[in-house]
Amino acid sequence: MTTLLSAAASANSVAMTTFTMILIGIGAVCALAVIWWGTMRRRVKASEVADSEKHAALAGHGPEAAPVAAVLADAGAVPAPMVEALADAPVAAAAPMPADTGSSQPLTLLKGLGPKAAARLGELGIASVGQLAALSPGQIADIDAQMGNFAGRILRDRWIEQARLLAAGDIAGFEAAFGKLGG
């Protein structure tokens, strides 16, 4: 009988040791998963901060802010002679907005321009795709500086290029460059 009890205790001990090892293995895998997830979150956060700083610099905010004229020149949006004129020109408090060029399409047709950004543009006097398409480089820089949380999006999401294609009625060109309209 003692042999049976001793064998049962030994088997129970082996089963308990195996169970303990399995739990330790699961714990180690979970710890590694949490470490990996934290590392990925840190990388994403660092990328978001870098993007935020870049857009703040584009908008002219912060101590390391890049001049808007230089950013426009780097993006290829403005020829060099216009950049020099923009760099020397004072920024107007409120630039006169162009009249509607006949294109009264809503701003939300543009890729990357949602209802909140459209509302902010509306507050600044831009209510249609045609008005956005008719902006001069100086007006673009002025409006971008007043976009608040959306600063830098005009150039990054290429709103002017999109607006000019739609205002010209070039739907095929728009869809070739930016994807299906309305989708």
Side-chain angles (χ1 to χ4, degrees), residues 30-97:
C30 289
L32 289 173
V34 167
I35 291 169
W36 175 81
W37 180 80
T39 302
M40 298 311 292
R41 286 299 311 146
R42 257 184 268 125
R43 287 182 183 172
V44 167
K45 185 65 176 175
S47 173
E48 290 172 353
V49 168
D51 284 347
S52 174
E53 290 171 354
K54 180 180 92 178
H55 293 300
L58 286 172
H61 303 294
E64 68 285 337
V68 174
V71 173
L72 288 172
D74 290 344
V78 182
M82 292 179 82
V83 169
E84 293 168 9
L86 277 175
D88 296 334
V91 176
M97 293 299 121

Side-chain angles (χ1 to χ4, degrees), residues 18-32:
T18 304
F19 181 71
T20 304
M21 295 304 281
I22 290 172
L23 285 178
I24 290 172
I26 291 172
V29 168
C30 289
L32 289 173

Side-chain angles (χ1 to χ4, degrees), residues 34-164:
V34 167
I35 291 169
W36 175 81
W37 180 80
T39 302
M40 298 311 292
R41 286 299 311 146
R42 257 184 268 125
R43 287 182 183 172
V44 167
K45 185 65 176 175
S47 173
E48 290 172 353
V49 168
D51 284 347
S52 174
E53 290 171 354
K54 180 180 92 178
H55 293 300
L58 286 172
H61 303 294
E64 68 285 337
V68 174
V71 173
L72 288 172
D74 290 344
V78 182
M82 292 179 82
V83 169
E84 293 168 9
L86 277 175
D88 296 334
V91 176
M97 293 299 121
D100 195 353
T101 59
S103 177
S104 60
Q105 299 156 320
L107 291 169
T108 52
L109 282 177
L110 304 178
K111 304 288 182 170
L113 201 156
K116 290 182 181 180
R120 181 64 187 137
L121 284 170
E123 292 169 4
L124 297 172
I126 305 295
S128 70
V129 169
Q131 287 177 318
L132 191 60
L135 292 175
S136 70
Q139 291 170 321
I140 293 168
D142 289 344
I143 288 174
D144 191 49
Q146 298 176 47
M147 286 296 288
N149 291 339
F150 302 103
R153 297 275 305 273
I154 292 175
L155 292 177
R156 187 184 75 212
D157 292 339
R158 299 166 48 194
W159 291 348
I160 303 300
E161 184 181 345
Q162 293 181 57
R164 288 181 179 155

